[in-house]
Amino acid sequence: MDSALCIDHVRLTPVLVTDPPLLNTQGVHQPFTPRLVVEVITAGGVTGLGETYGDTPYLDLARPLAEAMPGRSVTDVNSLFALAAEVRAPAGPGHVDGRVDAGGLRGVRTADKLRLSVVSAVETACLDALGKTLGLPVHALLGGRVRAEVEYSAYLFYKWAAHPGGVPDAWGEALDPAGVVEQARRFDRAYGFPSFKLKGGVFAPEQETAAIRALAREFPGRPLRLDPNGAWSVETALAVARELGDVLEYLEDPVTGTAAMAETAARTDVPLATNMCVTTFEEVPEAFARGAVRIVLCDHHYWGGLHRTRELAALCRTYGVGLSMHSNTHLGISLAAMTQVAATLPRLDHACDTHYPWLTEDVVTTRPHFRAGRLAVSDAPGLGVVLDHDRLADLHRRWLDDDGTLRDRDDAAAMRAAAPEWRPTRW
């Protein structure tokens, strides 16, 4: 093994990042969201960067994995899954024999799924370090790019003007079709996104249908998507599909679970997409065999990294299933990783999601800039981003100063703090 590629140590830095009051079926984003920045430092003095979710269950899995990494090569990413399976989080609240037992929008949030998200950040950091050492971009390590730019979609949200007791943000309120359209206008002016996705499941389906219709009038011919995160019944989903079938690019996770998605898909011609019922390879056979989805939204955090994202893309090509890319609140490190792997996918059928324009803070020195809704694919060594150590320290200090209330994202708790009687609605 080349000693320069040997891992000397791994540094984990949890941070809290400012997040706007964006609404979804689970509640509202908290004022800050937790993320985890991973630095893999080689014996040759090169630092590779990765990023993933920063909630406590992820940290509890990341720490023992980080401790097991020194002495290994940054080229040895295929063994990360076996290594991660050997380490166990400490027993404690939310854990059973070292296994996490929690729920979420990607189905039952098992320790195996959380472990994949942790591995994804370590793999990305290893590839970044390898690329910097060899003088190659990450996309070259994945076989080379097939496109020079990656197209992204505007991510629209119903939102409050401010968090309760907070200062209004620059985006203002969006609680009706007019507010959604004005938000889309701002995205169009600032970034030139060619398509729009609305996070639904917040209001009655009729109101969200009206918002999509308003967008179609304002931006005729632009691809439009609606994602209620499984908040609807099959009959409601079918009614919305009938109403919006002439303007929707796709309907994302209108119902919960493969069975309900398959039933809905069999009764409508509107394409159904998912990042909820297909989030692991084990979930692929049933969903594809039953025709439950026509588009999978890949996510390297979910699937275990950049190499596994390419494996998923190959499966989708084989079975004639379309491909796009999911996003959660993320920093510039993850956006760079998303762009590098997206550049290598021979078929990327739809513009990728990104929350990034909503963020006002980052840990990279230069914020990526969207032009006509696209990001240029960096040919710089590694991911092409540089860590801002001072900003990282500031955001980590915020995490240290928190009393534990915000270290685990909980949209429902944030909503109930403002409206104690609130409960998720199923339409």
Side-chain angles (χ1 to χ4, degrees):
M1 177 175 63
D2 186 338
S3 59
L5 299 176
C6 182
I7 296 172
D8 182 76
H9 63 285
V10 176
R11 183 182 299 123
L12 305 176
T13 309
V15 297
L16 285 176
V17 184
T18 298
D19 209 1
L22 307 178
L23 300 169
N24 57 64
T25 188
Q26 296 288 303
V28 64
H29 288 208
Q30 298 173 138
F32 303 101
T33 195
R35 299 295 289 178
L36 175 62
V37 175
V38 176
E39 297 173 79
V40 169
I41 300 94
T42 69
V46 173
T47 298
L49 303 176
E51 175 197 341
T52 190
Y53 304 95
D55 308 70
T56 301
Y58 297 93
L59 286 172
D60 287 345
L61 290 167
R63 288 180 178 121
L65 177 59
E67 292 171 0
M69 292 298 295
R72 307 175 73 88
S73 173
V74 293
T75 64
D76 192 15
V77 294
N78 287 340
S79 70
L80 287 175
F81 304 98
L83 181 63
E86 293 173 2
V87 301
R88 285 291 183 267
H95 297 80
V96 180
D97 296 330
R99 296 186 300 275
V100 178
D101 185 13
L105 290 179
R106 61 188 291 196
V108 177
R109 204 170 64 174
T110 65
D112 286 338
K113 289 184 178 182
L114 296 183
R115 197 172 287 112
L116 287 174
S117 296
V118 172
V119 168
S120 74
V122 176
E123 185 229 40
T124 298
C126 287
L127 291 174
D128 186 36
L130 178 59
K132 289 173 178 174
T133 301
L134 300 179
L136 295 173
V138 165
H139 67 72
L141 305 179
L142 300 175
R145 60 180 172 89
V146 296
R147 56 183 61 83
E149 295 179 319
V150 173
E151 184 177 310
Y152 285 88
S153 178
Y155 210 151
L156 310 179
F157 282 84
Y158 291 106
K159 69 179 293 291
W160 295 334
H163 290 286
V167 178
D169 62 39
W171 285 91
E173 184 179 85
L175 297 174
D176 55 21
V180 170
V181 168
E182 179 53 35
Q183 190 181 104
R185 291 192 189 111
R186 290 193 57 176
F187 269 108
D188 187 45
R189 290 193 301 267
Y191 306 106
F193 288 116
S195 57
F196 299 94
K197 170 177 167 175
L198 175 62
K199 178 65 74 178
V202 177
F203 297 113
E206 294 80 7
Q207 182 173 336
E208 296 180 355
T209 297
I212 294 293
R213 280 289 173 199
L215 288 169
R217 289 192 296 271
E218 181 72 17
F219 302 97
R222 298 277 191 100
L224 303 175
R225 312 163 181 179
L226 178 57
D227 173 19
N229 279 133
W232 300 340
S233 67
V234 170
E235 294 306 322
T236 297
L238 291 170
V240 173
R242 286 191 296 270
E243 174 64 26
L244 297 177
D246 60 324
V247 296
L248 281 182
E249 179 184 16
Y250 58 71
L251 187 57
E252 182 181 337
D253 287 308
V255 295
T256 298
T258 296
M261 287 285 283
E263 181 182 353
T264 305
R267 297 168 62 186
T268 181
D269 292 329
V270 175
L272 300 189
T274 189
N275 74 281
M276 289 175 60
C277 73
V278 181
T279 63
T280 66
F281 287 103
E282 291 75 16
E283 294 166 336
V284 166
E286 180 186 6
F288 285 14
R290 298 182 66 172
V293 297
R294 284 167 58 182
I295 301 144
V296 170
L297 278 68
C298 63
D299 184 324
H300 73 278
H301 307 91
Y302 281 15
W303 292 85
L306 308 186
H307 283 290
R308 287 206 170 186
T309 298
R310 286 181 46 79
E311 292 176 20
L312 172 64
L315 273 179
C316 289
R317 289 199 310 276
T318 300
Y319 287 94
V321 173
L323 191 70
S324 185
M325 187 172 285
H326 168 258
S327 160
N328 207 314
T329 305
H330 59 82
L331 296 165
I333 298 171
S334 280
L335 182 59
M338 292 164 62
T339 303
Q340 287 285 317
V341 71
T344 71
L345 305 179
R347 257 191 51 206
L348 190 60
D349 305 280
H350 307 272
C352 302
D353 290 347
T354 179
H355 283 64
Y356 191 74
W358 287 107
L359 295 190
T360 57
E361 300 175 329
D362 205 345
V363 295
V364 297
T365 56
T366 303
R367 287 180 66 97
H369 183 65
F370 295 90
R371 298 183 186 277
R374 292 169 169 81
L375 283 182
V377 179
S378 172
D379 287 323
L383 292 174
V385 294
V386 177
L387 188 64
D388 184 330
H389 293 278
D390 292 338
R391 197 66 188 122
L392 178 67
D394 289 342
L395 300 185
H396 179 54
R397 192 172 302 110
R398 181 186 289 159
W399 183 89
L400 290 172
D401 291 342
D402 179 65
D403 62 4
T405 304
L406 298 174
R407 290 185 181 181
D408 293 288
R409 177 173 164 177
D410 190 338
D411 292 5
M415 178 64 84
R416 283 193 287 270
E421 302 304 315
W422 177 87
R423 294 292 182 273
T425 302
R426 293 293 176 262
W427 306 94

